[in-house]
Amino acid sequence: MAFSRSIRHRRMRRKIHKDFDLQLTSMMDILVIILVFLLKSYSTSTHSFTSVPGIQLPVSKASETPPDSLHLIVTHEAITFEGLRVVEFIQTPDSLNSSQATYAFKPEDLDEGSMRIPRLYDALFKAREKAEVLRAKSPARDTSGNPLPFDGILAIQADKRVTYDTLRKIMYTAGAAQFRVFRLLATKLEH
Amino acid sequence: MLKRPSSRRHSAPQEIQINLVPMLDALVTMIAFLMYTMAFMSLAMESPLPVVSTEENATQIEEKPLQLTLSIGDQDVMLWSPFDLIPQITIPHQSDGRIDTLKIHEKVLELKQKFPTEKKIVLVPKANTSYESIISIIDSVKYLERTDPLISALNPKTGVQEQVKELFSETVFGNLLGGE
């Protein structure tokens, strides 16, 4: 009895397999729509900013995409400039957890009345010099034939819990290194 | 003898089936790549470094600017003008201690209606103000909401009244070089 049921069952299963054909056309339609949407919203500019794991950016209504520029990241552990760790914050057992981060500088990492960060200044100064050398070699000239001046733009990507005190020290240091414009980055608010 | 019936009508039509599987693979790969490399980041603000002038400002400025200043305190936010062009406005924080950005937006909108050509705002945060609060304040003083009334301003280049697209779009940190 069980044998005959099994044979019948197997036959039925084979039948289903024979008729079953996965409809890929509708799936293709969906994927093409998603692809078109992504291509439309994909910016072709040369920006290279990607979010860094471990930091939570604040959310902003701003819709402009940040143009490419020198890039500084403030994580709960350190300040990174152009991919290089420049200054580390004071780490306590609690601050290992990103929500308890201190964002406090070591006293030896500050000068000029605890406003300037010398190591960051050195890194920014070198980046400025490099940019100026590249501009001097570039064929692009201003109306009077001189190399284009250093634009001095610094994009800052920081965790939403970073205080203004930390940001101010960074901007003050960047100002001392002839960086004149600061771009504060945030996550796009989904509409 | 009957003629053999034509087999033309009975020949089964040849079904051409496009193999969609490799195309599907390519699409999925492309979507994954685009989503991975897409910019979900925005430029919240662009702030110039304040310039310290050693010259006497009073002699340079013929017409006093509004120089709208937003100072963030522990308990409230103050909107004021160093040239006393507006009465000082105090906006207390919400009961949970968060900054009342809706109220700030409301007041800034009123000020924009009075001074439609003004674009600059000086932000004076406290040392412990979070980056998130700064961004939310900038959002509230910069962007117009869809429900906001239309504001028009005279374009000095064209001499035509034009609709204002942003409130105070140029933000400068007032205490960047020193002070509280």
Side-chain angles (χ1 to χ4, degrees), chain A residues 61 162 164 180 183 185-186, chain B residues 42 46 49 129 131 145 175:
Chain A
K61 290 174 196 166
V162 171
Y164 177 65
R180 298 272 169 229
R183 287 183 178 147
L185 306 183
Chain B
S42 68
E46 196 170 273
L49 185 78
T129 309
Y131 181 46
E145 298 286 340
N175 53 355

Side-chain angles (χ1 to χ4, degrees), chain A residues 69-96:
Chain A
S69 58
L70 293 169
H71 189 198
L72 185 140
I73 303 168
V74 187
T75 66
H76 64 276
E77 287 173 353
I79 295 174
T80 310
F81 175 65
E82 288 293 294
L84 288 173
R85 191 176 271 221
V86 183
V87 187
E88 287 190 358
F89 295 121
I90 295 171
Q91 298 289 325
T92 60
D94 289 338
S95 71
L96 294 174

Side-chain angles (χ1 to χ4, degrees), chain A residues 7 18-19 24 38 45 91 95 121 127-128 163 165 188:
Chain A
I7 289 171
K18 202 177 173 186
D19 296 336
L24 293 177
L38 285 175
S45 68
Q91 298 289 325
S95 71
Y121 174 82
R128 180 170 70 89
T163 58
D165 190 39
K188 272 181 195 170

